[in-house]
Amino acid sequence: MEITPPSVKLRTEPKSKLLKILGFTFGIAVTIGSMIGLGILRTPGSVAAQLGSVWLILVIWILGGAYSILGTISVAELSTSLPQAGGWYVYARRTFGDYGGFVVGWSDWLVNCATNAFVAITVGEYLIALVPALAGSVKVIALISLFLFALLNWVGVRSGSRFQEVTSFLKAFAFLILVIACFTIGARHSLTGKEPAALHPPIGILALFVAVMLALQSVIFTYDGWYNAIYFAEEDRDPSRNLPRAMIFGVISVMTLYLLVNLALFYVLPLPQIADSTLPASAAAQAVFGAGGSQIISLLALMTLPSILNINFMVAPRILFAMSRDGLFAAQMATVNSGGTPVAALLLSAITMVLLVVTGTFEILLSITAFLIVLNYTSGFLAVFILRKREPDLPRPFKAWGYPWTTLIVLFGSLLFLIGQVISDTRNSVYAMVLIAMSSPIYFMMKRVVKSGSK
């Protein structure tokens, strides 16, 4: 395996540099905006069906939040030690060398592009639900959405960051309004779990273990996005101070909100109804607001999407930028405009998202993203251990609290989820491995392109 020495400098210089203008508020907005999505509107139903107990459900949501917090404090060490654009790619290259970094960076970039293609399609679906006259225009709306967000980020990092802050806090506030409405307008149901129902916790240790693991897996994916602030470490005015505080505060805020949403659902709906619903938030809104409740949830769902579209448009180009700057991708991808946007990387990312929407191939990539996302987690947590041993003198403005146990817990959890993913979804796990294997010829091709371009 090719290992990049810690002292190796960046191989190519971008025509301009990223702007160091982001701060604590943006870090919180990225964390909250990335985490809160459609999952919290849907996941409570599947978790209730698996566990059948109010208190067990709440424990699982707390455990999912705790896992995200432990992951956050581990990756915060990496982001403050290596405050560069690129996120997981940066840590993988430092730890596993050029090829290891390329595998992580390439797969991470594809995940962000596929996710944005899916989110753009979802924007179209929810907009049509609110405006039936637009029926049949899902892909057109998706493409328009991609164009608008690409344009927003082309202008510069200031416009993208301001939009992220506004939309992230607005959707968090909207969820709080729903929670308050459930408790103040909705009729009280029960929080005791003793209501008459044919719904009970799994019987037997094995059945309970399987149910807990499946529910925890769903909950942890609903918390996904807790790490997105790491991609902007190079643009933060004071990453050593801002990143750990913003990420931890953001995760705790989302965990609190998720618990409140679950409590609000339990307040207005019987547990069996939550378990039988694919969109329990809609059932709760109908119980509170009447027939118009489903429209309110459609609007709330639509409100969750812009901040996710925006952040993926900010993240994807920075991955290509970092790879290009290190000589692992075409040098043009390291070009930054006066607004602080890697413009060539943004253009390539946008074109890829458009192609995925037009061809529908994003669905294939989306089916394997869970495996790739957890694989990136795993590479990051391994990097904490390896770099601690290999580079003890590396400046670490923030050290993971409770190391090594906290990092060991999330590493073990990530490995369990990878194993569980292979067992529960073998076909898509194999597809993910094939995609990773495909990175090898692409890596060597890009090395030749970069080498020939430097002559």
mmCIF file of all heavy atoms in Angstrom, residues 11-27:
data_model
loop_
_atom_site.group_PDB
_atom_site.id
_atom_site.type_symbol
_atom_site.label_atom_id
_atom_site.label_comp_id
_atom_site.label_asym_id
_atom_site.label_seq_id
_atom_site.Cartn_x
_atom_site.Cartn_y
_atom_site.Cartn_z
ATOM 1 N N ARG A 11 0.703 19.108 -3.936
ATOM 2 C CA ARG A 11 1.500 19.009 -5.142
ATOM 3 C C ARG A 11 1.193 20.093 -6.163
ATOM 4 O O ARG A 11 2.007 20.430 -6.993
ATOM 5 C CB ARG A 11 1.257 17.643 -5.785
ATOM 6 C CG ARG A 11 1.642 16.505 -4.858
ATOM 7 C CD ARG A 11 1.282 15.193 -5.505
ATOM 8 N NE ARG A 11 1.447 14.116 -4.540
ATOM 9 C CZ ARG A 11 1.031 12.902 -4.747
ATOM 10 N NH1 ARG A 11 0.423 12.587 -5.858
ATOM 11 N NH2 ARG A 11 1.207 11.968 -3.844
ATOM 12 N N THR A 12 -0.010 20.571 -6.185
ATOM 13 C CA THR A 12 -0.354 21.610 -7.146
ATOM 14 C C THR A 12 -1.004 22.761 -6.411
ATOM 15 O O THR A 12 -1.687 22.563 -5.424
ATOM 16 C CB THR A 12 -1.338 21.063 -8.203
ATOM 17 O OG1 THR A 12 -2.513 20.616 -7.544
ATOM 18 C CG2 THR A 12 -0.711 19.922 -8.991
ATOM 19 N N GLU A 13 -0.768 23.929 -6.904
ATOM 20 C CA GLU A 13 -1.338 25.113 -6.274
ATOM 21 C C GLU A 13 -2.583 25.547 -7.038
ATOM 22 O O GLU A 13 -2.546 25.683 -8.259
ATOM 23 C CB GLU A 13 -0.323 26.255 -6.269
ATOM 24 C CG GLU A 13 0.841 26.034 -5.321
ATOM 25 C CD GLU A 13 0.413 25.980 -3.877
ATOM 26 O OE1 GLU A 13 -0.578 26.650 -3.522
ATOM 27 O OE2 GLU A 13 1.046 25.257 -3.103
ATOM 28 N N PRO A 14 -3.700 25.748 -6.343
ATOM 29 C CA PRO A 14 -4.870 26.254 -7.033
ATOM 30 C C PRO A 14 -4.628 27.682 -7.507
ATOM 31 O O PRO A 14 -3.781 28.392 -6.988
ATOM 32 C CB PRO A 14 -5.959 26.216 -5.953
ATOM 33 C CG PRO A 14 -5.217 26.276 -4.672
ATOM 34 C CD PRO A 14 -3.923 25.578 -4.903
ATOM 35 N N LYS A 15 -5.404 28.103 -8.524
ATOM 36 C CA LYS A 15 -5.239 29.453 -9.050
ATOM 37 C C LYS A 15 -5.648 30.491 -8.023
ATOM 38 O O LYS A 15 -5.231 31.631 -8.076
ATOM 39 C CB LYS A 15 -6.039 29.603 -10.348
ATOM 40 C CG LYS A 15 -5.506 28.713 -11.473
ATOM 41 C CD LYS A 15 -6.323 28.862 -12.740
ATOM 42 C CE LYS A 15 -5.801 27.946 -13.833
ATOM 43 N NZ LYS A 15 -6.614 28.031 -15.070
ATOM 44 N N SER A 16 -6.526 30.135 -7.137
ATOM 45 C CA SER A 16 -6.863 30.983 -6.013
ATOM 46 C C SER A 16 -7.114 30.112 -4.800
ATOM 47 O O SER A 16 -7.083 28.910 -4.904
ATOM 48 C CB SER A 16 -8.085 31.848 -6.294
ATOM 49 O OG SER A 16 -8.613 31.705 -7.532
ATOM 50 N N LYS A 17 -7.371 30.749 -3.685
ATOM 51 C CA LYS A 17 -7.559 29.989 -2.457
ATOM 52 C C LYS A 17 -8.993 30.081 -1.972
ATOM 53 O O LYS A 17 -9.725 31.002 -2.307
ATOM 54 C CB LYS A 17 -6.607 30.509 -1.371
ATOM 55 C CG LYS A 17 -5.136 30.287 -1.679
ATOM 56 C CD LYS A 17 -4.261 30.788 -0.533
ATOM 57 C CE LYS A 17 -2.785 30.532 -0.828
ATOM 58 N NZ LYS A 17 -1.922 31.000 0.283
ATOM 59 N N LEU A 18 -9.368 29.097 -1.170
ATOM 60 C CA LEU A 18 -10.663 29.158 -0.502
ATOM 61 C C LEU A 18 -10.650 30.326 0.473
ATOM 62 O O LEU A 18 -9.598 30.682 1.023
ATOM 63 C CB LEU A 18 -10.926 27.843 0.244
ATOM 64 C CG LEU A 18 -11.034 26.584 -0.618
ATOM 65 C CD1 LEU A 18 -11.121 25.344 0.279
ATOM 66 C CD2 LEU A 18 -12.234 26.644 -1.545
ATOM 67 N N LEU A 19 -11.798 30.926 0.687
ATOM 68 C CA LEU A 19 -11.895 32.087 1.569
ATOM 69 C C LEU A 19 -12.110 31.646 3.011
ATOM 70 O O LEU A 19 -12.969 30.817 3.298
ATOM 71 C CB LEU A 19 -13.057 32.980 1.134
ATOM 72 C CG LEU A 19 -13.004 33.520 -0.297
ATOM 73 C CD1 LEU A 19 -14.214 34.405 -0.573
ATOM 74 C CD2 LEU A 19 -11.706 34.279 -0.558
ATOM 75 N N LYS A 20 -11.338 32.212 3.901
ATOM 76 C CA LYS A 20 -11.430 31.851 5.319
ATOM 77 C C LYS A 20 -12.406 32.810 6.001
ATOM 78 O O LYS A 20 -12.008 33.722 6.734
ATOM 79 C CB LYS A 20 -10.045 31.940 5.957
ATOM 80 C CG LYS A 20 -9.831 31.021 7.137
ATOM 81 C CD LYS A 20 -8.383 31.026 7.557
ATOM 82 C CE LYS A 20 -8.118 30.050 8.690
ATOM 83 N NZ LYS A 20 -8.334 28.658 8.314
ATOM 84 N N ILE A 21 -13.707 32.583 5.779
ATOM 85 C CA ILE A 21 -14.713 33.540 6.251
ATOM 86 C C ILE A 21 -15.836 32.886 7.054
ATOM 87 O O ILE A 21 -16.747 33.581 7.522
ATOM 88 C CB ILE A 21 -15.331 34.306 5.063
ATOM 89 C CG1 ILE A 21 -16.017 33.327 4.103
ATOM 90 C CG2 ILE A 21 -14.274 35.135 4.337
ATOM 91 C CD1 ILE A 21 -16.783 34.015 2.990
ATOM 92 N N LEU A 22 -15.829 31.562 7.212
ATOM 93 C CA LEU A 22 -16.919 30.872 7.903
ATOM 94 C C LEU A 22 -16.656 30.815 9.403
ATOM 95 O O LEU A 22 -15.516 30.951 9.849
ATOM 96 C CB LEU A 22 -17.095 29.467 7.336
ATOM 97 C CG LEU A 22 -17.354 29.404 5.824
ATOM 98 C CD1 LEU A 22 -17.444 27.962 5.364
ATOM 99 C CD2 LEU A 22 -18.619 30.173 5.461
ATOM 100 N N GLY A 23 -17.723 30.601 10.174
ATOM 101 C CA GLY A 23 -17.555 30.595 11.622
ATOM 102 C C GLY A 23 -18.509 29.672 12.348
ATOM 103 O O GLY A 23 -19.065 28.735 11.764
ATOM 104 N N PHE A 24 -18.701 29.958 13.619
ATOM 105 C CA PHE A 24 -19.462 29.096 14.528
ATOM 106 C C PHE A 24 -20.914 28.921 14.079
ATOM 107 O O PHE A 24 -21.433 27.803 14.056
ATOM 108 C CB PHE A 24 -19.405 29.712 15.931
ATOM 109 C CG PHE A 24 -20.190 28.967 16.972
ATOM 110 C CD1 PHE A 24 -19.816 27.696 17.376
ATOM 111 C CD2 PHE A 24 -21.301 29.541 17.565
ATOM 112 C CE1 PHE A 24 -20.530 27.004 18.342
ATOM 113 C CE2 PHE A 24 -22.023 28.872 18.542
ATOM 114 C CZ PHE A 24 -21.642 27.603 18.918
ATOM 115 N N THR A 25 -21.566 30.004 13.689
ATOM 116 C CA THR A 25 -22.974 29.926 13.284
ATOM 117 C C THR A 25 -23.153 29.042 12.066
ATOM 118 O O THR A 25 -24.085 28.237 11.997
ATOM 119 C CB THR A 25 -23.527 31.337 12.989
ATOM 120 O OG1 THR A 25 -23.357 32.161 14.134
ATOM 121 C CG2 THR A 25 -25.005 31.271 12.640
ATOM 122 N N PHE A 26 -22.244 29.180 11.099
ATOM 123 C CA PHE A 26 -22.319 28.333 9.911
ATOM 124 C C PHE A 26 -22.120 26.861 10.279
ATOM 125 O O PHE A 26 -22.807 25.990 9.750
ATOM 126 C CB PHE A 26 -21.265 28.757 8.893
ATOM 127 C CG PHE A 26 -21.205 27.863 7.681
ATOM 128 C CD1 PHE A 26 -22.201 27.924 6.715
ATOM 129 C CD2 PHE A 26 -20.171 26.948 7.524
ATOM 130 C CE1 PHE A 26 -22.156 27.089 5.598
ATOM 131 C CE2 PHE A 26 -20.117 26.112 6.423
ATOM 132 C CZ PHE A 26 -21.113 26.180 5.457
ATOM 133 N N GLY A 27 -21.194 26.578 11.191
ATOM 134 C CA GLY A 27 -20.963 25.199 11.618
ATOM 135 C C GLY A 27 -22.212 24.572 12.214
ATOM 136 O O GLY A 27 -22.535 23.409 11.929
#
